[in-house]
Amino acid sequence: MKLAVYGKGGIGKSTASCNISIALAKRGKKVLQIGCDPKHDSTFTLTGFLIPTIIDTLQSKDYHYEDVWPEDVIYQGYGNVDCVEAGGPPAGAGCGGYVVGETVKLLKELNAFFEYDIILFDVLGDVVCGGFAAPLNYSDYCIIVTDNGFDALFASNRIATSVREKSRVHPLRLAGLIGNRTSKRDLIDKYIEACPMPVLEVIPLIEDIRISRVKGKTLFEMAETDPSISYICDAYLSIADALLSEPEGVVPRELGDRELFSLLSDFYLTPENKNSNEQNVKEEPLDFFLV
């Protein structure tokens, strides 16, 4: 099974990806996580350091694939999850899709791409071009990480568009949304009512999630010494179980931009929602929605 995790930049995709990878490994699966971001920090909480990237390794070998060994690019992280960082082109040059393609090509050359039960692509930010959508070409399921706010759901809607387009020529489905770092899901529910898709789990906003990133440890590793956060790990295990059931998934029918703006801004402007969402309104001023 191949999974591609997408969502608005800074929404917590890498943290979610690492913990989902461990949850899948705890269910007895051999897992490879591939970071697809020039920051190459997707697997940081699994390994505790920034591992060398595929692109940097290939450059050091003058792109002679035969000189690259699995141990040059594949590093084992916590929970026996194997880790790869694709890296990225220089800023303002090159294409992210090319880097992903080279990564998959090298892993196939190393006979590694098909040795895993699960391959998880952790992909940067919003889908703004075909290059960043490239991991969808190789995936069975897309998972969208969002929160209960306008910007993240707007990005989710764009990702849904990419899934629909890619599903025309690839056996790709949307497994569902993960609500991340939120105590509420009312705006998420409003969105999925208009654009039906499953919600895999809602992860609350707790300080330990932020701390895990700084410490370079996953929540599963932190829970070994702090059992009070085990309930968060259970949420990731629930996501893993849902994925391993091989859900039918959906081909989403995204909303048009104007329709989405109207839907979400009307929600904020409705009197009964205005007070309950005061914090969200402060974070995302109403004049933004009315432009």
Side-chain angles (χ1 to χ4, degrees):
M1 181 185 294
K2 297 176 180 64
L3 310 169
V5 180
Y6 280 84
K8 174 181 172 291
I11 205 65
K13 292 182 301 300
S14 294
T15 301
S17 294
C18 290
N19 287 290
I20 291 171
S21 290
I22 293 174
L24 290 164
K26 284 185 174 292
R27 292 308 193 220
K29 302 301 178 182
K30 187 177 181 182
V31 182
L32 173 68
Q33 180 168 321
I34 302 176
C36 304
D37 190 323
K39 296 197 306 296
H40 60 93
D41 62 348
S42 166
T43 58
F44 176 66
T45 57
L46 287 168
T47 61
F49 68 102
L50 297 177
I51 66 176
T53 70
I54 292 277
I55 286 299
D56 288 343
T57 302
L58 285 174
Q59 286 178 340
S60 69
K61 306 286 186 179
D62 292 324
Y63 289 90
H64 292 161
Y65 288 80
E66 67 276 10
D67 293 336
V68 180
W69 296 90
E71 57 267 25
D72 293 330
V73 292
I74 301 175
Y75 291 77
Q76 189 171 85
Y78 176 81
N80 295 321
V81 174
D82 282 349
C83 303
V84 165
E85 290 287 352
C95 173
Y98 167 79
V99 173
V100 172
E102 289 296 298
T103 297
V104 172
K105 178 181 176 182
L106 176 60
L107 292 174
K108 288 180 177 179
E109 291 277 345
L110 297 173
N111 295 317
F113 194 68
F114 300 106
E115 290 186 355
Y116 293 90
D117 300 311
I118 308 286
I119 293 180
L120 185 149
F121 295 94
D122 174 24
V123 192
L124 76 165
D126 190 4
V127 178
V128 293
C129 73
F132 294 142
L136 295 175
N137 298 338
Y138 307 100
S139 299
D140 303 301
Y141 295 107
C142 175
I143 301 167
I144 299 176
V145 181
T146 185
D147 62 18
N148 199 50
F150 180 90
D151 286 343
L153 286 169
F154 190 84
S156 299
N157 194 62
R158 290 173 60 89
I159 297 162
T161 304
S162 297
V163 172
R164 178 176 57 79
E165 290 298 323
K166 293 291 185 180
S167 69
R168 299 179 190 274
V169 292
H170 299 285
L172 172 69
R173 293 294 184 270
L174 177 64
L177 292 176
I178 295 175
N180 197 40
R181 304 187 315 191
T182 180
S183 59
K184 298 179 181 179
R185 54 176 288 173
D186 42 11
L187 198 55
I188 292 174
D189 287 338
K190 187 72 173 177
Y191 174 68
I192 64 173
E193 179 183 344
C195 183
M197 61 183 67
V199 175
L200 296 174
E201 193 62 76
V202 176
I203 309 295
L205 175 58
I206 62 171
E207 189 62 22
D208 291 290
I209 294 178
R210 299 180 190 274
I211 292 173
S212 73
R213 194 73 177 154
V214 176
K215 285 187 172 181
K217 294 183 178 181
T218 62
L219 291 166
F220 282 90
E221 186 174 1
M222 290 174 60
E224 291 179 356
T225 55
D226 183 4
S228 68
I229 62 174
S230 295
Y231 75 100
I232 299 293
C233 300
D234 290 340
Y236 288 111
L237 289 168
S238 175
I239 294 170
D241 291 338
L243 294 170
L244 292 175
S245 71
E246 298 185 4
E248 182 177 351
V250 298
V251 176
R253 299 297 303 180
E254 79 284 356
L255 303 180
D257 285 352
R258 291 183 181 276
E259 184 182 1
L260 181 62
F261 267 78
S262 176
L263 174 77
L264 299 183
S265 61
D266 286 350
F267 178 85
Y268 277 100
L269 291 169
T270 302
E272 60 265 29
N273 296 323
K274 188 173 182 180
N275 292 332
S276 64
N277 288 280
E278 186 176 0
Q279 183 177 357
N280 284 341
V281 173
K282 288 179 180 178
E283 291 174 353
E284 298 169 312
L286 286 177
D287 57 357
F288 172 78
F289 304 118
L290 300 177
V291 173

